[in-house]
Amino acid sequence: MADMEETLMLGVEGLKKTILHGGMGDMPRFITGTKVTFHFRTQLCDDERTVIDDSKVVGTPMEVVIGNMFKLEIWETLLCSMRINEVAEFWCDTTHTGLYPLVSKSMRRIAEGKDAVEWQIHTCGMANMFAYHTLGYPDLDELMKEPKPLFFILELIKVQQPNEYNRESWALNDQERLNKVPMLHGQGNKLFKQGLFEEATEKYKEAIVCLKNIQSKEKAWEAPWLKLEKMGHTLTLNYCQCLLRMAEYYEVIEHTSDIINQHPGVMKAYYLRAKAHIEVWNEAEARQDYSRVLDLDPGMKKLVKRDLAILTTRMEEKNQEDKTTYKGMFEPARGGGLP
């Protein structure tokens, strides 16, 4: 069919569409909140048509929700031009592809079984990501430094209206996300009290992600941003309390240190970090943090005194164990000497 090969313009500058396989039925309704499931392949516009990402290789299709501030807005435009089962190739110039490396990083982390928004929990937003000068993938770093036109080959699998699926946090708008945070916070606290620490961390983490998504659209260090930052700290510290109970001490030190580096007056961050330092035998660091806790809140004196007594006892026990170990190592075996 002639129209299968015809290059179609979508009325958007820097964009060309070629239908590779015609879809079926009428055009779906793409209203705000519609969930779209599709496969994609991303290629460079070089002679080899180098493949950057391919969801079919991963084995999992992509999902986006229309009108939900997805980082790569152009994909909404492309998908809204398609019918079910249609396969189309879109050429997009650099105006539309600049943020692709960030989107790709998130998708790759999900495919690797990592938390795509893990970095958001302990940094203060997107700007911090750029401070590290790397996305962790050399090909994406290259694209980030020098954006290029890209080919996106999309296959539209399914279109679900807002009332046809359960909307997870990522599918909510900002107001819905904000409304969900106190509910998740309360659920996390309840699970913590029941001793279900792993389940509680999931609730806290989901609430943090909701907040960070909203916060990324605010101007850093202005009042709305700071309000969200404070809410995020409370949740992150609750998350750390769960991690302490789960013996994830180094992760506690990492998250609390991030808060302290940005906001040196958060007493609870020092307190939780001190407790984590005790568990990994960092005596000097623990004492330093407890000293800072007392500077910020003298009312903590009784708790700090109790913890320091535990620290002293544990260090004495460890020193005694070390002495015994070393003594055994350097004492010659009975009846012995060297052979």
Side-chain angles (χ1 to χ4, degrees):
M1 287 174 65
D3 67 331
M4 302 293 248
E5 297 167 5
E6 185 183 351
T7 298
L8 303 169
M9 302 299 293
L10 293 176
V12 180
E13 205 174 318
L15 192 62
K16 291 175 189 171
K17 173 182 178 181
T18 307
I19 296 174
L20 304 178
H21 182 278
M24 51 189 270
D26 297 329
M27 282 294 293
R29 287 171 70 238
F30 294 100
I31 60 170
T32 298
T34 301
K35 182 159 127 178
V36 184
T37 305
F38 60 100
H39 272 297
F40 73 94
R41 186 161 73 243
T42 306
Q43 297 176 316
L44 292 176
C45 300
D46 56 10
D47 293 339
E48 292 79 29
R49 292 288 289 263
T50 305
V51 175
I52 301 172
D53 294 300
D54 188 336
S55 63
K56 285 192 174 177
V57 171
V58 174
T60 310
M62 179 75 181
E63 294 176 344
V64 299
V65 173
I66 300 298
N68 199 37
M69 298 291 287
F70 180 62
K71 282 193 191 91
L72 203 65
E73 286 179 48
I74 195 62
W75 272 13
E76 287 194 13
T77 306
L78 309 184
L79 292 163
C80 289
S81 77
M82 299 178 72
R83 288 180 164 80
I84 302 293
N85 289 347
E86 180 180 321
V87 181
E89 177 186 275
F90 299 89
W91 174 86
C92 298
D93 75 10
T94 51
T95 319
H96 307 296
T97 61
L99 282 177
Y100 183 77
L102 291 178
V103 175
S104 176
K105 175 197 163 91
S106 296
M107 294 187 295
R108 289 182 189 189
R109 286 182 70 79
I110 291 168
E112 290 163 9
K114 294 173 186 167
D115 182 357
V117 282
E118 183 185 58
W119 61 273
Q120 292 184 318
I121 289 170
H122 55 268
T123 68
C124 64
M126 218 173 211
N128 270 47
M129 198 166 175
F130 296 109
Y132 298 113
H133 304 299
T134 179
L135 299 174
Y137 303 94
D139 58 337
L140 298 183
D141 287 339
E142 198 59 40
L143 261 185
M144 200 78 199
K145 275 186 274 184
E146 194 184 333
K148 295 182 172 81
L150 296 171
F151 282 112
F152 297 119
I153 297 165
L154 307 183
E155 178 185 348
L156 185 59
I157 300 168
K158 189 163 60 175
V159 174
Q160 293 167 283
Q161 300 306 314
N163 61 344
E164 294 175 346
Y165 67 95
N166 291 325
R167 299 171 77 200
E168 298 166 45
S169 293
W170 62 267
L172 305 176
N173 65 35
D174 285 354
Q175 191 54 53
E176 289 168 328
R177 281 194 184 109
L178 201 54
N179 294 343
K180 197 172 181 185
V181 168
M183 184 181 75
L184 291 166
H185 192 164
Q187 288 170 344
N189 289 356
K190 193 174 178 183
L191 289 163
F192 180 85
K193 283 175 188 164
Q194 292 169 347
L196 300 169
F197 305 121
E198 199 161 336
E199 291 84 346
T201 62
E202 292 306 313
K203 297 297 179 186
Y204 293 138
K205 197 189 283 191
E206 192 181 343
I208 291 162
V209 170
C210 283
L211 287 174
K212 289 296 180 187
N213 268 303
I214 304 165
Q215 194 183 22
S216 67
K217 295 158 201 167
E218 299 288 353
K219 197 167 180 186
W221 301 101
E222 291 194 352
W225 186 93
L226 285 166
K227 187 180 176 186
L228 293 164
E229 182 84 342
K230 194 173 179 186
M231 289 167 73
H233 284 166
T234 304
L235 287 159
T236 304
L237 292 170
N238 284 12
Y239 177 76
C240 286
Q241 280 185 281
C242 294
L243 293 178
L244 270 177
R245 300 296 187 92
M246 292 159 66
E248 299 287 353
Y249 306 123
Y250 289 105
E251 202 179 333
V252 172
I253 292 167
E254 184 186 352
H255 291 312
T256 49
S257 297
D258 281 329
I259 291 177
I260 288 163
N261 290 340
Q262 290 293 327
H263 305 274
V266 182
M267 181 278 294
K268 193 175 176 183
Y270 288 100
Y271 184 69
L272 293 178
R273 189 169 73 172
K275 288 180 86 68
H277 278 313
I278 286 179
E279 298 295 339
V280 293
W281 311 106
N282 295 340
E283 182 181 13
E285 290 87 343
R287 290 189 184 280
Q288 199 175 345
D289 278 346
Y290 279 126
S291 171
R292 191 79 181 99
V293 167
L294 292 177
D295 289 343
L296 292 165
D297 185 358
M300 292 287 287
K301 191 174 181 180
K302 197 174 175 182
L303 272 177
V304 168
K305 193 176 176 185
R306 183 202 66 189
D307 284 3
L308 285 172
I310 292 167
L311 173 62
T312 302
T313 305
R314 292 194 62 179
M315 292 312 295
E316 283 170 1
E317 286 170 1
K318 185 173 188 293
N319 290 338
Q320 194 54 50
E321 279 173 26
D322 289 349
K323 276 180 193 170
T324 308
T325 304
Y326 292 135
K327 190 180 176 192
M329 280 170 68
F330 294 112
E331 269 187 359
R334 203 169 285 172
L338 292 170

